[in-house]
Amino acid sequence: MELFFSDDIQDAQVRLDPEESAHCVRVLRHRVGDEISVIDGRGTLYRCVLEIADAKGAWARVLERIHGFGAHPYHLTMAVCPTKNIDRYEWFVEKATEIGVDVVAPVIGERSERKVLKTERLRRLALSAAKQSLKAAVPQVAEPVGVRDFILSAPEGALKLICYCFDDVERLPITEVLRRQAERVMVLIGPEGDFSPEEAALARANGWVPVQLGPSRLRTETAALTAVTAVYLFSLEA
Amino acid sequence: MELFFSDDIQDAQVRLDPEESAHCVRVLRHRVGDEISVIDGRGTLYRCVLEIADAKGAWARVLERIHGFGAHPYHLTMAVCPTKNIDRYEWFVEKATEIGVDVVAPVIGERSERKVLKTERLRRLALSAAKQSLKAAVPQVAEPVGVRDFILSAPEGALKLICYCFDDVERLPITEVLRRQAERVMVLIGPEGDFSPEEAALARANGWVPVQLGPSRLRTETAALTAVTAVYLFSLEA
């Protein structure tokens, strides 16, 4: 099953952009009358019939709308400091999308070696991973913000978890904390050099629960994916 | 903390091979009298003092043995069909090593597009990932065998789980099945084209429990890492 993406869906008309049109018509050789599936990136899949097979601008007519296609039963924001090696962050975005994440928020910590991050490529990766894993919702990739700003701007009512390494306070295993019911989960993962003690203290003072991911020493992106997998697996239990 | 590897440890004498010697003496500039940490790849870390700082063949004297350094509280064999794109399999080996796995067993299914796999590079990856994540035990990478042979040769007493996609039988969520206590866990993950019905039936007939990894559609290597993470996270609960 091949999913196309469109951000130009009005009433029963779906328009594919030139890139998607070329993929649909030139690469996959779809013809007028073929049925195709298009996602809006916001959770709805549209079963359509191709009406204009133009490799520069294809049009399709909506046959059926399927809301929540490929959705997961939780809302997860992963706030993860960019890794020195950007490939590892891109890998995280791809894998987290496959497993199930709603927002990837790059955050810059005091000890982050990488202070800038281009989000455009990450957004393309999230889109292609969502299509590949048959999800109609594409995770949002936020623009980078500072760790302190992110901590202070987090919404009320979310279960807010911060993973860090130093042992100044007791940190519960994430598996225990995830037993608490919450509509939204937010997880904050630090840079290679970890959060600064001030960042960790600010988080705790603002309701973030210190958690640990077990005895293994995990790289930033592995810790982040382990947290995504924990939320995903625990949603199977609920 | 930097770990070195040696397979030549006798009594209180540790010999580093030329590659490790060069890294220790030329790259890290260790000198006679420096303390270094060496793993044997089988679970023991040796605190040593460098006695011969030869970049082609360094020697160290053992000060202390630490058994089970970086060990995890389970024994996990991941039998995973090689992916078409070998990078994805190498990525799995690296990440699984970080999180915690004991044996990676490449298995070739009827529907595997990749029928051959070079294990030498995978073993090097497992070693470097184990050193990077501070584990004294390096996962064993087995030589590829056929899925049927693997199924039939699995030991008694292990909790044997098979993940596959088709819905001919009820498959419990892996999180439920992992509640069963077992000394050894084995997980079988199929190729992109899934197992054949005959392979799945043979597994069931031989005590393999069909499990599913939830609603998300995961690539082979993502499914495999999700299973590793499930076993790891559930060991935190026990």
Side-chain angles (χ1 to χ4, degrees), chain A residues 88 91 94-95 98-99 132-135 175 179 213-217 219 221-222 232 236-237, chain B residues 88 91 94-95 98-99 132-135 175 179 213-217 219 221-222 232 236-237:
Chain A
R88 296 183 171 276
W91 164 82
E94 179 192 313
K95 292 307 177 195
E98 265 183 68
I99 293 167
Q132 194 275 336
S133 56
L134 303 187
K135 296 178 191 293
T175 48
R179 303 212 171 288
L213 297 170
S216 289
R217 180 169 176 268
R219 289 175 179 269
E221 75 280 5
T222 316
Y232 172 74
L236 304 184
E237 306 232 285
Chain B
R88 296 183 170 275
W91 163 84
E94 178 192 312
K95 292 306 176 194
E98 264 182 70
I99 292 166
Q132 194 275 337
S133 54
L134 303 186
K135 297 178 191 293
T175 49
R179 303 211 173 288
L213 297 170
S216 288
R217 180 169 176 268
R219 289 175 179 268
E221 76 280 5
T222 317
Y232 172 74
L236 304 183
E237 305 232 286

Side-chain angles (χ1 to χ4, degrees), chain A residues 6-137:
Chain A
S6 173
D7 57 6
D8 185 354
I9 302 174
Q10 283 153 21
D11 308 328
Q13 285 284 11
V14 173
R15 181 174 191 171
L16 299 183
D17 68 16
E19 190 181 331
E20 290 287 75
S21 298
H23 187 64
C24 176
V25 175
R26 189 170 297 129
V27 179
L28 297 174
R29 305 202 162 285
H30 280 301
R31 296 289 170 255
V32 170
D34 285 0
E35 190 178 312
I36 63 172
S37 296
V38 182
I39 61 170
D40 62 2
R42 299 190 304 278
T44 301
L45 178 137
Y46 297 79
R47 275 187 48 242
C48 305
V49 59
L50 193 60
E51 290 201 323
I52 299 177
D54 180 337
K56 290 196 176 64
W59 288 77
R61 179 167 43 83
V62 174
L63 301 173
E64 181 190 12
R65 292 169 177 74
I66 305 171
H67 300 294
F69 184 83
H72 46 263
Y74 53 83
H75 187 285
L76 174 61
T77 296
M78 290 299 302
V80 182
C81 291
T83 48
K84 278 177 283 186
N85 173 344
I86 197 62
D87 294 352
R88 296 183 171 276
Y89 204 83
E90 294 178 347
W91 164 82
F92 163 71
V93 169
E94 179 192 313
K95 292 307 177 195
T97 301
E98 265 183 68
I99 293 167
V101 68
D102 298 279
V103 180
V104 174
V107 288
I108 310 298
E110 282 176 30
R111 299 182 181 173
S112 289
E113 296 193 33
R114 174 184 291 274
K115 304 280 188 189
V116 291
L117 181 74
K118 290 202 171 55
T119 51
E120 200 39 52
R121 183 175 154 84
L122 295 176
R123 293 196 173 106
R124 283 200 305 275
L125 281 169
L127 173 58
S128 65
K131 288 161 67 178
Q132 194 275 336
S133 56
L134 303 187
K135 296 178 191 293

